[in-house]
Amino acid sequence: MDADIKFMKMALEEASLAAEDEEVPVGAVLVSEKGEILAKAHNKPISLCDPTAHAEILVLREASRKIGNYRLLGTTLYVTLEPCPMCAGALVYARVKRLVFGAFDPKAGACGSVYNIVNDARLNHRLEVLGGVLADEALALLKSFFKKKRRGARVVEGGGLESR
């Protein structure tokens, strides 16, 4: 459990970097079974103009290049928010062994909240999952980020928000 806290704190640092870049504050760290950090990243879909540039996808890409294999056997992913369906699917296909996440996502969580892609028996791989690690800290980052966004936005035609 000490290692889970240590690496989740690193993921939270990455999430803070995302918030500084005005990206949704989600951070991720991928660790080998020996405890080596293979990759760290935070959300960058806005800055990279890439809807797939979630923290989880970025660490999977970096680690795969680093080890020369898309199969990331024996690894643990630490991420501050429960992964979405896209990221959960990528974790399955990358054969990540274990997922540790902070806050549950009741709107789009795909690791037990709304969907459970990472443990779907119809798929070729399943992950060990531990949710709620440092969840309060992860939620605080997200709430602070969206509170600031709402203050700097105005309602536009159709009921959506437009940033200033």
Side-chain angles (χ1 to χ4, degrees):
M1 191 64 175
D2 288 342
D4 291 343
I5 299 295
K6 171 187 165 184
F7 292 120
M8 185 59 74
K9 285 182 178 180
M10 289 181 186
L12 286 164
E13 290 171 13
E14 285 292 323
S16 293
L17 294 173
E20 289 174 18
D21 293 341
E22 296 192 26
E23 300 272 6
V24 175
V26 177
V29 177
L30 188 71
V31 179
S32 75
E33 56 193 340
K34 294 177 183 175
E36 175 192 2
I37 296 170
L38 298 173
K40 298 188 297 187
H42 55 273
N43 272 0
K44 293 185 179 181
I46 297 167
S47 60
L48 296 179
C49 298
D50 179 356
T52 68
H54 290 195
E56 301 95 321
I57 300 296
L58 295 175
V59 297
L60 294 178
R61 288 176 183 162
E62 183 181 332
S64 293
R65 282 190 296 269
K66 184 175 185 176
I67 68 167
N69 193 338
Y70 78 93
R71 290 184 176 172
L72 300 168
L73 304 173
T75 58
T76 298
L77 178 73
Y78 295 89
V79 62
T80 57
L81 181 65
E82 180 182 3
C84 71
M86 173 184 70
C87 294
L91 295 174
V92 169
Y93 287 115
R95 312 304 196 279
V96 170
K97 179 180 181 180
R98 187 166 175 256
L99 167 66
V100 178
F101 67 85
F104 288 85
D105 185 348
K107 292 184 179 181
C111 302
S113 289
V114 179
Y115 307 102
N116 198 356
I117 292 170
V118 296
N119 279 304
D120 190 319
R122 296 168 292 184
L123 299 176
N124 64 335
H125 178 73
R126 283 169 283 296
L127 283 72
E128 298 170 26
V129 178
L130 175 61
V133 175
L134 300 181
D136 291 341
E137 290 88 334
L139 274 174
L141 270 173
L142 288 161
K143 286 180 179 180
S144 172
F145 175 81
F146 285 112
K147 186 176 183 179
K148 288 177 188 171
K149 282 287 184 199
R150 282 190 298 276
R151 268 187 284 174
R154 64 182 179 87
V155 177
V156 295
E157 186 176 329
L161 294 178
E162 178 181 271
S163 294
R164 294 183 192 195

